[in-house]
Amino acid sequence: MNKKLSLLIALALTVTSLASCNLAGGDRTDDLRVDREGGDYKHEYGNETDAPAVTTTTETTEADPTPSPTPSPTPAPAKPTWEGNTVSSFKDVCDMSVSALGYDIDTSFAIVETAFDTKLILNDSEYHTEDEEDYDETIYIFFYDCDISIDGITFDTVTFCCYEDMSVYEVSYIYHSSDSSELMSRFEYCKSELYNMFGKPGDSAYDDEHILSSVYSSVNGVTYSTYYMYWGEDNDYNVTILGFDLA
């Protein structure tokens, strides 16, 4: 199984399992925590420490008879945004998602949330090291509950995968269902739209009893992919995934 498919399956399994159980022991101090109140997209690490007190002194000086000119303030660089307003087509979703890659998690999150004009609710975050199976480098994964629609096709989860420096290398949209026809209709839609954009997939499709895929690698440095996974009516790990990641 290739790394891309392994990671996507891991994402799908994690999100669905989180919906049915709570983490033991309350807060996990080793987890990455995200504070979304007030629109502040901060990521907190470790324990907070109080800032040292500042001592202010007053000193009298003579006025300079020749005041120096006031320097012009340097404007802060604007955060990147998707050029469109809200997404209105599959191609919009592709363009917007690709534009969110390569930035820090806060910036990528803001691009996606603003483009869909909706609220993304943090479900959980994960940390994986290169010593773990299926992971060849240290990464973070953020899971957000959502209710987004692409041409009437809905998805319930958005994930952001980040390198150790917190730059986003993958954005994926996931739909969970025990109804195989719902999953297949979304997969066929995504597969058809990608074909309309790029033609025949560059990579051979992964096809077995449980998994179907259509993957376009290295399209301007980005991999576009869609997956269908169905393991049975009584299994929670049934998903359709639309993903974009840096090739």
Side-chain angles (χ1 to χ4, degrees), residues 53-197:
V54 178
T55 303
T56 304
T57 59
T58 302
E59 182 177 349
T60 303
T61 59
E62 296 182 0
D64 188 345
T66 308
S68 301
T70 302
S72 301
T74 302
K79 283 193 174 183
T81 58
W82 181 57
E83 293 182 355
N85 293 317
T86 57
V87 293
S88 59
S89 68
F90 184 88
K91 186 177 185 306
D92 282 348
V93 174
C94 294
D95 293 343
M96 178 273 296
S97 300
V98 169
S99 76
L101 298 175
Y103 295 110
D104 62 272
I105 177 62
D106 290 338
T107 301
S108 295
F109 175 92
I111 290 174
V112 174
E113 187 177 59
T114 301
F116 279 110
D117 191 23
T118 189
K119 183 70 173 178
L120 304 181
I121 307 299
L122 182 68
N123 184 306
D124 196 55
S125 59
E126 290 186 1
Y127 170 73
H128 297 280
T129 69
E130 57 186 315
D131 298 327
E132 297 179 51
E133 185 178 358
D134 294 329
Y135 300 92
D136 56 12
E137 57 191 310
T138 299
I139 64 169
Y140 294 91
I141 308 174
F142 297 90
F143 304 88
Y144 293 90
D145 295 332
C146 68
D147 182 14
I148 63 176
S149 177
I150 307 171
D151 288 343
I153 301 297
T154 57
F155 291 84
D156 55 51
T157 302
V158 179
T159 65
F160 296 85
C161 298
C162 306
Y163 292 121
E164 192 169 8
D165 66 357
M166 301 307 296
S167 63
V168 174
Y169 69 86
E170 179 176 319
V171 175
S172 293
Y173 306 95
I174 304 175
Y175 179 76
H176 301 82
S177 177
S178 60
D179 187 336
S180 61
S181 62
E182 286 190 358
L183 299 176
M184 182 59 71
S185 65
R186 283 164 175 76
F187 171 72
E188 291 294 344
Y189 164 78
C190 294
K191 178 181 175 181
S192 175
E193 291 297 321
L194 289 175
Y195 182 86
N196 290 338
M197 292 175 61

